């Protein structure tokens, strides 16, 4: 049987996840010196480094057993897997933001909102019964209102620096976000002891 595979989100969450692995007394030396390698040994486990949305894809297909991914990605790409644990790292909020002082909710014209998270944005405005036009942007969404492409953005806000430094402000917060541990449905049945053991160790380390 192959080792239990753990899919990690590359980038912002990576360092904080490795800190948790260190507290679990796993050998993270290969992960810390990965170079361009994408699959790294981790004390008898295998760590796989992937983009957030791909972590969900690998977990759903069962090629990785345990995934570490932001709640933002889970909300945008809901799928069939178990969400087991809140790691309390990568904390930020989803928010609707716009140019400082702009009254987003006034007037009857249909507003345009730019976002990397069209499903999250659509659900937010649907629940308000508000008709908006949503434009998908791949990154630095704050550019869209600055270029007059949109009146608002739906995006993650952590320190608020990006908004502030670009003359934008939060209009409304949508929901708090943090990193979660997800597990493939079949893996949890077939390799229950190994997976529960790993997750309970993680729980103790946070
Ligand atoms: C995220 C997010 C905001 C910024 C918020 O982007 O989309 O732009 O961080 O953080 P702050 O409130 O601390 O300024 P990221 O840097 O991950 O890059 P991206 O926009 O290219 O996805």
């Amino acid at each position: 049987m192959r080792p239990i595979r753990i899919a990690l989100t590359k980038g912002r969450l990576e360092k904080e996840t490795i800190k948790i692995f260190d507290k679990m007394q796993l050998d993270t030396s290969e992960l810390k010196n990965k170079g361009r390698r994408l699959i790294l040994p981790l004390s008898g486990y295998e760590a796989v480094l992937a983009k957030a949305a791909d972590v969900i894809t690998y977990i759903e297909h069962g090629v990785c057993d345990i995934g570490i991914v932001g709640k933002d990605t889970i909300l945008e790409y809901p799928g069939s897997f178990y969400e087991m644990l809140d790691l309390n790292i990568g904390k930020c909020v989803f928010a609707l933001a716009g140019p400082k002082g702009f009254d987003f909710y006034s007037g009857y014209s249909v507003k345009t909102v730019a976002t990397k998270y069209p499903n999250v944005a659509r659900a937010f405005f649907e629940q308000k019964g508000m008709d908006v036009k949503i434009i998908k942007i791949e990154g630095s969404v704050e550019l869209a209102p600055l270029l007059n492409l949109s009146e608002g953005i739906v995006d993650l806000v952590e320190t608020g620096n990006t908004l502030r430094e670009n003359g934008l402000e939060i209009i409304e917060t949508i929901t708090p976000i943090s990193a979660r541990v997800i597990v493939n449905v079949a893996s949890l049945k077939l390799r229950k002891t190994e997976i529960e053991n790993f997750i309970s160790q993680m729980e103790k380390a946070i």
Side-chain angles (χ1 to χ4, degrees):
M1 214 188 305
R2 66 160 170 78
I4 291 279
R5 277 196 200 123
I6 304 155
L8 308 187
T9 301
K10 284 201 281 199
R12 284 194 182 217
L13 282 181
E14 198 176 318
K15 270 202 180 135
E16 289 186 86
T17 307
I18 293 175
K19 272 192 217 160
I20 295 177
F21 290 164
D22 281 330
K23 280 196 200 150
M24 293 163 74
Q25 290 177 337
L26 299 174
D27 178 3
T28 56
S29 52
E30 302 270 353
L31 257 180
K32 286 174 182 156
N33 297 296
K34 63 178 167 20
R36 300 291 297 167
R37 286 175 300 162
L38 298 168
I39 304 183
L40 293 309
L42 174 74
S43 294
Y45 300 102
E46 257 175 27
V48 174
L49 288 161
K51 280 190 87 167
D54 299 335
V55 168
I56 291 187
T57 304
Y58 294 137
I59 293 298
E60 277 204 288
H61 287 271
V63 294
C64 294
D65 308 290
I66 300 173
I68 291 158
V69 68
K71 183 71 179 177
D72 54 319
T73 308
I74 297 175
L75 291 171
E76 182 63 21
Y77 305 100
S80 41
F81 46 79
Y82 295 119
E83 190 182 313
M84 305 285 285
L85 183 65
D86 184 345
L87 290 176
N88 267 304
I89 57 171
K91 286 177 119 175
C92 52
V93 294
F94 257 134
L96 168 65
K100 217 163 173 245
F102 175 71
D103 187 358
F104 184 86
Y105 292 121
S106 77
Y108 293 99
S109 63
V110 172
K111 301 289 193 300
T112 301
V113 171
T115 186
K116 259 197 319 195
Y117 301 88
N119 292 329
V120 170
R122 200 170 298 114
F124 173 69
F125 289 107
E126 253 168 31
Q127 150 256 311
K128 284 187 172 299
M130 191 173 163
D131 193 19
V132 297
K133 184 182 168 201
I134 291 168
I135 297 177
K136 170 99 193 270
I137 297 290
E138 289 298 332
S140 299
V141 178
E142 294 84 356
L143 266 173
L146 300 180
L147 299 173
N148 285 321
L149 177 65
S150 74
E151 280 99 8
I153 61 173
V154 165
D155 198 17
L156 294 173
V157 180
E158 188 185 358
T159 60
N161 287 339
T162 312
L163 291 181
R164 248 187 317 276
E165 291 183 22
N166 292 289
L168 306 171
E169 65 182 2
I170 290 181
I171 298 163
E172 199 175 326
T173 57
I174 300 175
T175 188
I177 297 297
S178 55
R180 307 298 161 100
V181 178
I182 62 172
V183 171
N184 171 266
V185 175
S187 299
L188 193 63
K189 284 205 187 85
L190 300 172
R191 304 187 72 170
K192 194 173 166 50
T193 323
E194 289 165 284
I195 287 173
E196 284 184 347
N197 181 40
F198 186 86
I199 290 175
S200 81
Q201 278 183 52
M202 274 202 119
E203 203 171 1
K204 279 183 209 139
I206 57 176

